[in-house]
Amino acid sequence: MTSQVSACIFAALGCVHRLLILRLLFRAGNTGLTWGELKERTGCDETDLQDRVSVLLSVGLIARSMCKENERIHLRRNRFASLKSYFFETS
């Protein structure tokens, strides 16, 4: 992971609402949450939630998937592992 990518990720983490979304998704486990569940638990309106999710998607911290008719949002745990390894690289 490059310094530029890491900086973009940290910038995305600089918002209380985006941190809340990540915390909720972390607690939800591998199944993630539906859009409706995420909206209900964050208390965000549709537009605000879309904006916040878009930022997290753009840096690869979360992903969308379809399960039956429901779109699910889930945490990309490997992205956090990559971020952790960035700090411990030896170069």
Side-chain angles (χ1 to χ4, degrees), residues 17 21 38-46 48-49 52:
H17 293 99
I21 291 167
L38 199 53
K39 186 176 170 188
E40 179 182 316
R41 293 179 191 185
T42 61
C44 291
D45 66 35
E46 190 78 24
D48 287 341
L49 185 58
R52 291 170 178 140

Side-chain angles (χ1 to χ4, degrees), residues 64-91:
R64 291 178 167 169
S65 62
M66 290 300 291
C67 181
K68 299 183 183 178
E69 300 98 35
N70 291 319
E71 179 182 45
R72 299 195 74 78
I73 313 291
H74 56 91
L75 199 63
R76 291 187 60 208
R77 294 174 190 273
N78 62 332
R79 192 69 158 163
F80 287 91
S82 296
L83 188 59
K84 179 182 171 186
S85 69
Y86 169 77
F87 286 105
F88 295 103
E89 286 178 352
T90 57
S91 55

Side-chain angles (χ1 to χ4, degrees), residues 20-38:
L20 172 61
I21 291 167
L22 291 174
R23 178 185 238 177
L24 291 168
L25 293 172
F26 179 79
R27 291 179 177 170
N30 293 333
T31 59
L33 296 170
T34 65
W35 188 259
E37 291 168 332
L38 199 53

